[in-house]
Amino acid sequence: MTTNQVLIGVGLIVVLAVGSQILAGCLRVPALIVLLPVGLAGGALIDEVDPERLLGPAFSPLVSLAVAVILYDAGLGLDLARLKGHTRRVVVRLIWIGVLTTGLLGTVLAAPLLGMSWRAAVMIGTILVVSGPTVVGPLLSFVRPTDRLQRILIWEGSLIDPVGGVLGALVFHGLVASSGHHLGGGMEHFLGSMGIGVAAGAVGAALLWVLFRVLRLGEILGTTAQLAAVIGVAAFCDVLRDDTGLIAAVVMGVAVANIPGIGVPARRPFFETLVSLILGLLFISISATVTPHSLRHVWLPALGLAAFLVLVVRPVVAVVSTVGTDLTRGERGFIGWMAPRGIVAAATASTFSAGLVAQGIGGASKILPATFVVIVATVTLYGLTATSVARLLGVVRPSRSRPLLVGGDPWVVDLGAALRSAGLEVLMWAGEEEQRERVRQAGIELAPGELLGAATGGGAQLEGITAVYFLTAEDDFNALAAVLLRGSLEGTVHRLSAPADSHGVVAPFIGGEVLFGPDLTWPAIAHRYEEGAAVLGQPAADPLPPGSDLLFLVRPDGRLDPVTGGSAPLPRPGDTVVLLAPRGRDTARPS
């Protein structure tokens, strides 16, 4: 291809990837539902969009390295402290039972259904064992299932991808060797690959520890250092043995997220933006390699294979994996209805099918188009039905706001009690034991001591929290924590305003909206509280006590709207107003 054709092709792939994601956001559907058909149409209609023509033999290794970056990012969201008890048991079972069951049953059905040799059937059966965070994560963000379900499915997807990639490489080399690996040799090869990936991941994590603890890289250099470390380690592993870089990437991500004090800015906006762009580019590129001609005699049998995997295989895996655990019937049912195939299935199919075709293995040319159909079918089916199924099974998180109040002074605890009385699920965090005991006595859920530190350090997101309010007496802490936490939370983050005469070194100079306006600072609220003011909630239709200040509105649907320095929400019929009001004969502090 000429230089101009290469430029046109690269530009079109980027535009199609980002444009598809924008369109999906406007339509409020998972991006994969748009990316896959757009990539297929682009590859069929525009010659320059074909990545194999653009990149030649470099396409496959670039895909592998890009997937490693995605899995590293997925590893950053895996909190080992939450993988315990029945959750850990279910995740482990879903991986080994799921791999064995899906691989075996997929192979048995693929051979007669797709009309391929048993060797090609073994390959596609192995490819289709993976799921992956690239598809599970976006779907779960739409569905919003319970915290435990989300953890189980994210852990399964993040761990089964590298396992499936290594198994795919093992099966591929066995098939190319014609005689294949005997069981002992295959297991030895698999364990060796796992060992290489884990060891290299540990070395990569140690390298990042040195970079951040010794050299103390800043956020910008730190982000690029993570990217370079992941790509370098993954490339080195793949040179030693195919697809072991995927294991190393996940190990590095999990280590960075869970090693205390490593200080890595784990999931900042640039890194998340990069991962989103990589996902779009990969799905457009791989979809473009599938031609309509290759789908002509494959799409209907492949749909039958997808239906078998969705309606038979996954429910069986879910039932066996959750037996003897404390998961509810609804949670078990939803696990049985969530196993979309994603980028690793597409990448391994694209990589291995060409090699098997070159070896003359019967039916190998059907592996990539059949995998593509299964990906499209499962993503579309789960994307369009998962929310309804989750609601039917009763496993959706409540749509009502779930605020986290940071602070344990008496007026803050009474604020939490007032919000809870208005029907919200309130969570509180306090640093001092006296304050934590005050929260416990009020009957409000207390966040674990490490929760806030993990989130502000960039190690993990706060699961299920819709907004965080920093209400401590330390203005600098409120300001700094609010700035750090904004990148780790989907919802809003607010803090109290610093007094005009504050001697803080940070708070007076950090912008952004603050709670309650500039006059209701912590000293002002505490002073009024000591003089007898109370935090209370009442229907918006009732007259407001004289001298009261509006703090929050709780809408009938459970949405919490705070008063800020920049705006004051208007009460509507059915709202509950939360006030700071002088205590009179009709006003009493919450008991």
Side-chain angles (χ1 to χ4, degrees):
M1 299 182 71
T2 66
T3 301
N4 288 340
Q5 288 177 312
V6 172
L7 289 173
I8 292 173
V10 172
L12 282 174
I13 290 175
V14 173
V15 170
L16 291 175
V18 177
S20 297
Q21 291 172 323
I22 294 173
L23 177 60
C26 295
L27 297 176
R28 298 193 62 79
V29 298
L32 300 184
I33 294 179
V34 180
L35 284 166
L36 293 172
V38 167
L40 175 65
L45 300 175
I46 308 171
D47 291 339
E48 287 80 6
V49 174
D50 185 351
E52 292 180 337
R53 293 184 60 192
L54 285 173
L55 302 173
F59 176 58
S60 180
L62 286 176
V63 168
S64 179
L65 295 179
V67 172
V69 174
I70 294 170
L71 291 183
Y72 171 76
D73 181 69
L76 293 176
L78 301 181
D79 186 356
L80 290 174
R82 297 178 178 270
L83 185 67
K84 55 186 177 181
H86 291 274
T87 298
R88 179 174 58 195
R89 186 184 307 174
V90 172
V91 170
V92 172
R93 288 178 180 177
L94 284 173
I95 293 171
W96 75 266
I97 293 175
V99 166
L100 292 178
T101 305
T102 305
L104 178 61
L105 295 181
T107 297
V108 170
L109 185 66
L113 195 61
L114 294 170
M116 57 175 50
S117 66
W118 72 266
R119 292 195 289 174
V122 169
M123 189 73 257
I124 194 172
T126 305
I127 289 170
L128 293 177
V129 304
V130 299
S131 176
T134 60
V135 285
V136 173
L139 288 178
L140 294 181
S141 68
F142 275 82
V143 178
R144 294 181 59 82
T146 58
D147 290 348
R148 179 164 67 167
L149 264 182
Q150 181 146 340
R151 284 196 295 272
I152 289 172
L153 292 169
I154 288 294
W155 269 97
E156 179 203 7
S158 299
L159 296 179
I160 206 170
D161 267 4
V163 171
V166 170
L167 283 176
L170 171 65
V171 170
F172 171 77
H173 291 298
L175 295 176
V176 169
S178 297
S179 60
H181 289 283
H182 57 82
L183 182 59
M187 182 57 66
E188 180 182 347
H189 187 94
F190 176 75
L191 293 177
S193 298
M194 295 294 290
I196 291 173
V198 171
V203 171
L207 173 62
L208 289 175
W209 186 89
V210 171
L211 291 175
F212 284 92
R213 295 293 292 176
V214 178
L215 300 181
R216 299 189 179 279
L217 299 182
E219 184 172 318
I220 296 176
L221 275 178
T223 301
T224 54
Q226 290 178 83
L227 186 61
V230 172
I231 292 177
V233 170
F236 177 75
C237 289
D238 286 344
V239 169
L240 295 178
R241 189 167 294 182
D242 289 342
D243 285 336
T244 53
L246 304 184
I247 300 173
V250 171
V251 170
M252 288 179 65
V254 173
V256 165
N258 291 274
I259 294 177
I262 193 170
V264 173
R267 304 187 72 167
R268 292 307 182 204
F270 172 77
F271 206 88
E272 296 176 357
T273 301
L274 176 65
V275 170
S276 176
L277 178 61
I278 289 174
L279 276 173
L281 295 176
L282 285 178
F283 277 110
I284 290 291
S285 299
I286 294 176
S287 300
T289 63
V290 181
T291 64
H293 177 75
S294 66
L295 294 172
R296 183 176 304 173
H297 302 295
V298 173
W299 71 271
L300 189 58
L303 283 179
L305 178 60
F308 180 72
L309 294 173
V310 168
L311 300 177
V312 178
V313 176
R314 181 61 179 187
V316 168
V317 170
V319 168
V320 176
S321 299
T322 58
V323 67
T325 67
D326 62 354
L327 268 68
T328 65
R329 181 177 299 179
E331 289 173 328
R332 296 177 184 184
F334 189 74
I335 290 175
W337 193 253
M338 184 54 62
R341 272 58 180 181
I343 191 62
V344 173
T348 51
S350 175
T351 300
F352 298 139
S353 63
L356 296 182
V357 169
Q359 292 292 320
I361 293 179
S365 62
K366 300 178 181 179
I367 292 176
L368 179 58
T371 302
F372 177 82
V373 171
V374 172
I375 293 172
V376 173
T378 56
V379 169
T380 303
L381 177 63
Y382 292 131
L384 297 179
T385 64
T387 300
S388 300
V389 170
R391 289 174 180 165
L392 181 65
L393 296 174
V395 296
V396 179
R397 281 202 302 261
S399 59
R400 307 178 70 84
S401 295
R402 190 189 186 201
L404 170 63
L405 308 185
V406 180
D409 295 292
W411 73 267
V412 181
V413 176
D414 286 352
L415 173 60
L419 294 176
R420 187 185 59 178
S421 298
L424 301 185
E425 182 184 356
V426 180
L427 190 67
M428 294 191 67
W429 185 91
E432 300 178 6
E433 183 55 36
E434 178 185 354
Q435 295 178 335
R436 297 173 70 84
E437 182 60 30
R438 187 180 294 128
V439 174
R440 294 188 192 98
Q441 291 179 357
I444 301 174
E445 183 181 356
L446 188 64
E450 71 275 6
L451 177 63
L452 190 66
T456 54
Q461 293 187 348
L462 297 174
E463 294 180 347
I465 300 298
T466 57
V468 179
Y469 302 101
F470 288 96
L471 308 171
T472 76
E474 300 294 332
D475 295 323
D476 282 343
F477 169 79
N478 294 340
L480 285 172
V483 170
L484 290 172
L485 198 58
R486 285 192 185 105
S488 302
L489 187 73
E490 293 181 3
T492 59
V493 180
H494 289 89
R495 63 180 176 92
L496 287 173
S497 176
D501 58 350
S502 172
H503 297 290
V505 296
V506 175
F509 310 105
I510 290 183
E513 282 193 334
V514 296
L515 280 172
F516 314 147
D519 296 330
L520 284 182
T521 61
W522 188 95
I525 297 175
H527 177 70
R528 288 176 58 177
Y529 201 80
E530 290 173 358
E531 292 186 338
V535 178
L536 59 93
Q538 67 175 47
D542 293 353
L544 301 183
S548 61
D549 289 285
L550 178 64
L551 304 181
F552 291 94
L553 285 179
V554 182
R555 304 297 187 181
D557 61 358
R559 189 175 77 254
L560 182 64
D561 288 339
V563 175
T564 68
S567 65
L570 298 176
R572 295 193 292 264
D575 291 347
T576 298
V577 294
V578 178
L579 310 167
L580 177 66
R583 185 165 50 161
R585 63 179 182 176
D586 297 326
T587 304
R589 289 178 180 172
S591 58

